[in-house]
Amino acid sequence: MIKILAIGNSFSEDATHYLHQIAAADQVDMKVGNLYIGGCSLERHWNNIQTNAAEYLYEENGASTERYVSVREALDMDQWDYLVTQQVSQDSGLPDTYHPYIEHIMDYLKTTAPQAEILLHETWAYETDSLHSGFCNYDQDQQRMYEKLSETYRAEAKQLGVRLIPCGDLVQELRKRAPFQYGQGGMSLCRDGFHMNIIYGRYLLSAVWYKILTGNSVKNNTYIPSTSLNPKAACNEQILQVIKDTVDQLL
């Protein structure tokens, strides 16, 4: 079994939502944990680690366990193979916000779970018309936000010597392809200007994680996502194939 724990926020919640299901469809046994605090930054993660704060909603395989835990409790739950963390979205392209917290977090994780590989999750730029207050950090410019966060995540990953899960890159690339050309009247990959579309956006992120962590192709993966949040939403398999083809082409 492959065991993955994300120490994140709502963006890691989006990214891990369908990961277990994609793996199962490929006959891969995978346990996916996510530590959720909405809008949690690296600074807050480090403060919570220091105080052993049990403030994280523990989600497993895309569903809430309704249990709140500390980072240490989650690390002690299992022998995790992969640990993944990230900066809060509005600060992802601001290098100064990473330090000294990211170094402290990495040192702690290496000491507490030495068997695990640690990765960074590259978040994504907001939609062009997003009303998120943090969009002003990038002059309400999607391309500028993407360039800044991409540059920052790559620099941090290189400095720390860890791999990057390039979700931000794949989101930006897919925005150039039909039917996700939002500026030309197409579908947005976001559901509210910054979180991912419940079906297609979340599926894209989980497919990226799956490809990076296993090396397995998603092109012919048979899992078709569905959601209880919007039971009337039907997944268009042709659109899903565009996503799968894009992930396989670029990763």
Side-chain angles (χ1 to χ4, degrees):
M1 177 185 284
I2 300 173
K3 301 170 185 177
I4 302 156
L5 179 66
I7 303 167
N9 49 42
S10 61
F11 275 40
S12 62
E13 179 181 55
D14 276 351
T16 58
H17 191 73
Y18 295 124
L19 181 53
H20 169 80
Q21 295 91 326
I22 290 172
D26 201 28
Q27 308 301 311
V28 173
D29 196 8
M30 183 177 284
K31 176 180 176 179
V32 183
N34 181 54
L35 296 182
Y36 168 80
I37 296 176
C40 196
S41 65
L42 289 169
E43 180 178 6
R44 185 173 178 185
H45 285 313
W46 176 237
N47 290 338
N48 287 346
I49 288 169
Q50 290 179 289
T51 60
N52 202 35
E55 296 182 352
Y56 296 88
L57 177 63
Y58 177 65
E59 300 171 336
E60 190 169 294
N61 298 338
S64 171
T65 66
E66 300 185 5
R67 176 186 174 193
Y68 285 84
V69 300
S70 67
V71 172
R72 183 56 189 260
E73 285 178 90
L75 291 175
D76 288 344
M77 282 180 191
D78 218 322
Q79 286 286 104
W80 301 101
D81 298 298
Y82 299 102
L83 301 173
V84 186
T85 195
Q86 66 198 43
Q87 180 56 293
V88 67
S89 62
Q90 64 265 26
D91 291 345
S92 334
L94 307 177
D96 289 348
T97 67
Y98 287 69
H99 307 288
Y101 317 110
I102 189 67
E103 291 90 351
H104 292 326
I105 292 168
M106 290 290 168
D107 288 344
Y108 174 79
L109 296 179
K110 288 175 183 177
T111 300
T112 310
Q115 80 287 346
E117 179 185 354
I118 305 169
L119 299 93
L120 282 182
H121 172 213
E122 180 198 42
T123 57
W124 52 91
Y126 299 158
E127 192 50 272
T128 52
D129 54 2
S130 177
L131 299 178
H132 192 294
S133 60
F135 205 17
C136 65
N137 291 337
Y138 311 94
D139 303 319
Q140 280 80 36
D141 185 321
Q142 182 188 89
Q143 185 62 28
R144 175 175 171 77
M145 184 176 185
Y146 166 66
E147 290 172 357
K148 294 295 291 181
L149 71 84
S150 178
E151 177 185 356
T152 303
Y153 270 111
R154 273 168 175 72
E156 295 299 329
K158 182 177 180 180
Q159 178 183 337
L160 296 165
V162 300
R163 288 196 292 159
L164 187 69
I165 303 177
C167 284
D169 297 345
L170 272 291
V171 168
Q172 204 65 15
E173 177 59 35
L174 201 58
R175 283 168 167 162
K176 302 173 186 175
R177 305 186 182 195
F180 298 109
Q181 296 163 315
Y182 182 64
Q184 300 173 34
M187 180 189 305
S188 177
L189 273 168
C190 294
R191 65 182 186 268
D192 56 6
F194 49 101
H195 290 112
M196 282 285 100
N197 174 284
I198 290 292
I199 292 179
Y200 302 113
R202 282 182 162 185
Y203 183 90
L204 167 64
L205 304 182
S206 292
V208 172
W209 279 50
Y210 185 69
K211 185 71 183 287
I212 291 294
L213 293 176
T214 69
N216 293 354
S217 170
V218 296
K219 184 178 179 65
N220 297 314
N221 193 282
T222 58
Y223 176 66
I224 300 173
S226 60
T227 173
S228 60
L229 295 180
N230 186 2
K232 295 181 180 180
C235 179
N236 183 307
E237 292 185 46
Q238 289 181 320
I239 296 176
L240 203 65
Q241 195 62 51
V242 171
I243 295 171
K244 293 190 286 188
D245 289 346
T246 300
V247 171
D248 262 20
Q249 288 167 8
L250 298 182
L251 294 180

